């Protein structure tokens, strides 16, 4: 419990350092938002993924693949209809997937986050309306990742609430996402059961100024094993960068 309390204290100190002023040119520009999409329009999202080429057949002891570069990079594209939640994506060879998926409509998610309270404890309770499963931390991560447009003041409230959750760490030194953009790395403390068992840390990446969602990062920690050798430094396993680029008339087209 002492470690969790220390993590929360450190995060709370960081909030005072990185919370942006409410009235900056960047925030004002965001508040002069693009008009809300029509219900039949599709929201286009592109994700760049940088993935280690380690062979994970032995999940706790991956092996480098001979003749392969350390990482491979791929691009994922998704379209979600604003009013219905119908989804389409591109396949690895670039063609549009014929299968139509379904998710909660972006319009519905936007309405839910717009009504979130500012007070951290009330906000964390209210997130159950968005994601009923998982912990408070997992609900915040889900909200950042799944809601395509979160108002600046709500993002700030989400971040403040995030730092009140026991065991959540906000790293003081920004990292880079897969596009090279600066990002705050947020994660559960390294003494949580998943990290202790796997020696892997799952990180949420946020813009350091506006707390927009940037993507995710997975690190193998010191003490993990690669090809039967104990790691002595953190190793990047995967990292993503999400670009939400706007509304289009139909899937397969781009803004």
């Amino acid at each position: 419990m002492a470690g969790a309390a220390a993590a929360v204290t450190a995060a709370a100190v960081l909030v005072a350092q990185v919370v942006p002023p409410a009235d900056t040119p960047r925030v004002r520009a965001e508040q002069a938002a693009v008009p809300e999409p029509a219900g039949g329009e599709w929201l286009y999202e592109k994700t760049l993924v940088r993935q280690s080429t380690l062979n994970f057949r032995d999940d706790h002891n991956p092996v480098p693949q001979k003749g392969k570069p350390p990482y491979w990079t791929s691009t994922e594209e998704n379209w979600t209809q604003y009013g219905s939640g119908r989804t389409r994506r591109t396949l690895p060879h670039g063609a549009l997937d014929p299968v139509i998926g379904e998710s909660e409509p972006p319009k519905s998610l936007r309405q839910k986050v717009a009504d979130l309270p500012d007070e951290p404890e009330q906000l964390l309770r209210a997130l159950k309306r968005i994601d009923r499963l998982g912990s408070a931390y997992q609900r915040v991560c889900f909200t950042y990742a799944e809601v395509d447009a979160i108002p600046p003041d709500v993002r700030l409230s989400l971040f403040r609430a995030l730092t009140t959750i026991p065991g959540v760490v906000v790293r003081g030194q920004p990292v880079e996402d897969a596009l090279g953009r600066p990002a705050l790395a947020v994660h559960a403390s390294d003494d949580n059961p998943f990290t202790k068992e796997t020696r892997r840390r799952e990180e949420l990446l946020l813009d350091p100024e506006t707390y927009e969602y940037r993507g995710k990062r997975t690190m193998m920690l010191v003490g993990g094993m690669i090809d039967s050798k104990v790691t002595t430094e953190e190793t990047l396993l995967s990292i993503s960068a999400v670009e939400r680029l706007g509304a289009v008339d139909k899937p397969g087209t781009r803004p």
Side-chain angles (χ1 to χ4, degrees):
M1 291 299 294
V8 174
T9 301
V13 171
L14 182 62
V15 171
Q17 298 171 346
V18 299
V19 168
D23 185 30
T24 67
R26 187 168 180 179
V27 171
R28 287 198 301 272
E30 287 188 47
Q31 290 171 334
V34 176
E36 183 175 5
E41 289 187 305
W42 297 71
L43 296 175
Y44 171 68
E45 179 178 279
K46 181 168 69 174
T47 304
L48 182 70
V49 179
R50 187 181 178 205
Q51 178 74 47
S52 167
T53 56
L54 290 170
N55 187 325
F56 285 92
R57 282 179 297 186
D58 180 357
D59 201 43
H60 288 86
N61 184 19
V63 178
Q65 298 186 53
K66 294 181 179 179
K68 296 285 184 71
Y71 301 95
W72 57 264
T73 301
S74 63
T75 299
E76 301 173 357
E77 295 179 293
N78 292 276
W79 291 262
T80 305
Q81 194 168 42
Y82 185 67
S84 73
R86 291 192 298 166
T87 62
R88 300 288 295 275
R89 65 185 179 95
T90 50
L91 296 170
H93 53 75
L96 192 64
D97 189 341
V99 176
I100 299 177
E102 191 170 331
S103 63
E104 183 165 359
K107 182 176 183 178
S108 171
L109 288 172
R110 284 195 189 190
Q111 291 170 342
K112 288 179 180 179
V113 298
D115 293 334
L116 287 174
D118 181 65
E119 197 277 323
E121 187 175 343
Q122 294 177 15
L123 185 150
L124 293 175
R125 285 200 302 268
L127 286 181
K128 293 180 181 180
R129 300 198 303 264
I130 297 175
D131 180 19
R132 296 180 181 178
L133 303 176
S135 64
Y137 173 65
Q138 289 169 328
R139 290 190 188 104
V140 175
C141 292
F142 177 88
T143 302
Y144 272 120
E146 297 300 321
V147 183
D148 73 290
I150 303 176
D153 58 332
V154 177
R155 287 201 303 268
L156 180 55
S157 296
L158 277 169
F159 182 77
R160 285 186 167 130
L162 187 66
T163 62
T164 69
I165 301 172
V168 170
V169 177
V170 182
R171 298 181 65 179
Q173 185 66 33
V175 300
E176 289 187 350
D177 68 9
L179 286 170
R181 300 175 298 187
L184 288 176
V186 184
H187 59 86
S189 60
D190 292 343
D191 60 359
N192 76 84
F194 174 82
T195 302
K196 287 175 70 173
E197 179 182 352
T198 65
R199 302 304 302 166
R200 297 182 198 178
R201 180 198 295 136
E202 303 289 341
E203 299 177 345
L204 169 73
L205 301 182
L206 303 175
D207 183 291
E209 295 181 15
T210 68
Y211 308 118
E212 278 187 285
Y213 179 67
R214 284 286 179 247
K216 299 177 182 178
R217 192 170 80 150
T218 303
M219 306 293 294
M220 176 171 278
L221 304 186
V222 174
M225 295 184 69
I226 297 178
D227 201 7
S228 300
K229 299 175 182 177
V230 177
T231 58
T232 57
E233 59 183 28
E234 293 185 358
T235 303
L236 177 68
L237 297 183
S238 66
I239 187 169
S240 65
V242 174
E243 294 181 278
R244 287 164 169 159
L245 300 178
V248 294
D249 291 335
K250 60 183 180 180
T253 59
R254 299 164 180 83

